[in-house]
Amino acid sequence: NAGVTQTPKFQVLKTGQSMTLQCAQDMNHNSMYWYRQDPGMGLRLIYYSASEGTTDKGEVPNGYNVSRLNKREFSLRLESAAPSQTSVYFCVSTPGQGGLLYTGELFFGEGSRLTVL
Amino acid sequence: DAKTTQPPSMDCAEGRAANLPCNHSTISGNEYVYWYRQIHSQGPQYIIHGLKNNETNEMASLIITEDRKSSTLILPHATLRDTAVYYCIVRGREGGGNKLTFGTGTQLKVEL
């Protein structure tokens, strides 16, 4: 049971390049999230997926796209990277129950450190 | 989703209790309060959560006021390893999902 796995852990890009951050969980969770964390700041929500087949914007979605490929995987794509996207990215999953009240632990990936030059 | 407000930083002497406050005055009746902490740039670690009753586990205690507008996380005997950023969040619903919003947290520094 690996929990939440993010790849890559480190990446350096040049401005304008594209890349995809991969996230997979093996806990049969419904809900998955992508956050970014900049130095000295809290976690800001980029996109989330309440269940397979659905995605929604968070606080800072501009410059990103996501795909909930299946129940296990939730990827984050930067189509044209900018220096402002230099950050540490965290993928999170939680069981979730769609529209129903839910409580439970959040499971975090180890983070992906992205630098855009 | 309810917003949370936390002091940006707090200090605590090692061995003493650390009491970290959180204001969530707009919390709704079906929202839970969660606490996480983050050490350096690691992924946040779950500490505790609750709805309206006080909760205790091996790591901490959570005290929620009767009106649920605020809560306090208590680390009973803080150690140097408890130095971290502590986040208070509430679980809410939006569009049928579970949108999770973090604030900027409280940087707790435990000192000798």
Side-chain angles (χ1 to χ4, degrees), chain A:
Chain A
N1 185 343
V4 179
T5 303
Q6 289 181 234
T7 56
K9 290 185 171 47
F10 300 93
Q11 182 73 50
V12 178
L13 292 176
K14 294 180 179 177
T15 297
Q17 286 185 317
S18 62
M19 77 157 298
T20 300
L21 297 176
Q22 307 285 356
C23 177
Q25 50 88 10
D26 58 4
M27 296 170 283
N28 201 37
H29 286 172
N30 285 313
S31 300
M32 299 182 74
Y33 307 79
W34 276 106
Y35 291 88
R36 61 176 288 175
Q37 186 171 37
D38 303 304
M41 298 185 69
L43 293 151
R44 292 186 292 170
L45 180 63
I46 305 171
Y47 271 93
Y48 69 105
S49 170
S51 61
E52 182 180 359
T54 68
T55 60
D56 288 283
K57 295 179 180 179
E59 305 168 71
V60 289
N62 292 341
Y64 304 95
N65 286 302
V66 290
S67 296
R68 185 71 183 269
L69 305 169
N70 47 55
K71 195 170 186 179
R72 290 187 62 250
E73 298 171 291
F74 188 39
S75 63
L76 178 71
R77 182 161 180 83
L78 288 69
E79 290 291 352
S80 179
S84 61
Q85 294 178 303
T86 294
S87 190
V88 179
Y89 292 84
F90 287 99
C91 177
V92 179
S93 77
T94 187
Q97 290 184 11
L100 302 177
L101 171 64
Y102 174 74
T103 70
E105 186 173 346
L106 305 177
F107 291 79
F108 283 80
E110 294 183 349
S112 297
R113 188 176 298 275
L114 175 65
T115 301
V116 183
L117 302 174

Side-chain angles (χ1 to χ4, degrees), chain B residues 18-73:
Chain B
N19 297 285
L20 292 88
C22 180
N23 181 291
H24 33 79
S25 59
T26 60
I27 193 170
S28 62
N30 63 355
E31 289 181 320
Y32 283 66
V33 180
Y34 282 76
W35 283 84
Y36 282 77
R37 72 181 184 183
Q38 186 178 29
I39 298 173
H40 298 304
S41 295
Q42 300 175 19
Q45 173 192 22
Y46 168 80
I47 302 173
I48 198 167
H49 75 282
L51 182 62
K52 54 185 177 181
N53 297 320
N54 298 337
E55 302 288 343
T56 296
N57 62 21
E58 64 277 6
M59 289 183 67
S61 294
L62 174 61
I63 308 298
I64 303 174
T65 57
E66 191 170 345
D67 63 7
R68 302 204 330 117
K69 294 183 184 299
S70 65
S71 61
T72 300
L73 177 74

